[in-house]
Amino acid sequence: MEYLNPLFNEQRIIKKENWANQSKTLEGKRNKDRKVRSDKTHNLKFPVSSIEKIKLQSLCKQVQRRSEGKGTDPIRQTKLNTLLLLYGINNQYLISWDWPYKDSKHYMHTNPLETIYEREIGGPFGLAIQKGLSERKTAYMVIMSVLRWLELEGEGNIEKIL
């Protein structure tokens, strides 16, 4: 094929075979060199009923009102759910494993660090395996237990969790 501009005729044309081989070797190098981020999080959904959702949202509003005067960034719902989950994992004596569990198809989220998730919840020695529950059910039990502790026990203090 002749180009109108003679400069283009002198260019070396890369064969498609060479191009494919080069791209495969580059992909192999990229995958080997990449490291996993130390702050990588694992998105974990857990089902909530409408009443539980309202309770968690009202708790989040209370925490946001407390943090307004301090000049800090407001805590969002997912962050609060994550803090409740981590507090429950660190204080397992609070957890009640007999909550009525129903997958309501309405979910809230938590984002624990991947290392904590693998070690404490979903890994081979995590709570889900130890108790014979799913990861979502485990997260639900932990968060609802901490929420009940905050509401009913009287000794629950949101400042301990934050």
Side-chain angles (χ1 to χ4, degrees):
M1 179 176 162
E2 289 286 323
Y3 291 101
L4 294 175
N5 189 340
L7 291 175
F8 290 120
N9 288 333
E10 296 173 9
Q11 272 188 344
R12 289 186 287 159
I13 299 175
I14 300 175
K15 294 182 180 179
K16 290 183 180 180
E17 297 170 2
N18 290 343
W19 181 260
N21 290 338
Q22 288 177 353
S23 66
K24 287 180 184 176
T25 57
L26 287 176
E27 285 178 13
K29 287 182 182 178
R30 282 187 210 139
N31 290 341
K32 290 178 184 175
D33 295 340
R34 294 189 78 178
K35 294 182 180 177
V36 178
R37 290 179 58 120
S38 62
D39 61 347
K40 182 179 177 183
T41 60
H42 185 90
N43 187 14
L44 182 62
K45 298 191 305 185
F46 63 97
V48 290
S49 68
S50 58
I51 294 171
E52 293 163 346
K53 187 173 185 175
I54 290 170
K55 286 180 181 180
L56 286 167
Q57 287 175 338
S58 66
L59 180 64
C60 185
K61 292 288 185 187
Q62 291 173 7
V63 170
Q64 285 177 350
R65 275 189 238 113
R66 286 185 183 190
S67 66
E68 276 180 5
K70 296 179 181 176
T72 59
D73 290 337
I75 292 180
R76 303 287 180 208
Q77 186 68 56
T78 303
K79 179 67 175 175
L80 179 66
N81 294 343
T82 304
L83 290 173
L84 292 173
L85 179 71
L86 295 177
Y87 189 81
I89 288 171
N90 292 332
N91 300 292
Q92 291 187 17
Y93 64 91
L94 298 174
I95 301 173
S96 172
W97 297 103
D98 57 351
W99 280 93
Y101 176 82
K102 181 182 176 191
D103 192 357
S104 61
K105 305 296 183 201
H106 297 285
Y107 300 100
M108 294 186 95
H109 296 264
T110 65
N111 287 326
L113 290 176
E114 185 73 29
T115 55
I116 293 172
Y117 171 79
E118 286 295 324
R119 186 178 64 234
E120 301 290 341
I121 300 169
F125 303 108
L127 287 174
I129 299 294
Q130 289 175 6
K131 301 296 180 182
L133 305 172
S134 70
E135 294 165 2
R136 286 184 181 182
K137 190 171 184 178
T138 304
Y140 174 82
M141 298 291 178
V142 172
I143 291 172
M144 290 303 132
S145 296
V146 173
L147 186 63
R148 185 188 69 193
W149 175 74
L150 283 172
E151 290 177 343
L152 301 178
E153 300 297 325
E155 62 186 74
N157 186 357
I158 193 67
E159 296 297 326
K160 290 180 183 178
I161 296 173
L162 300 177

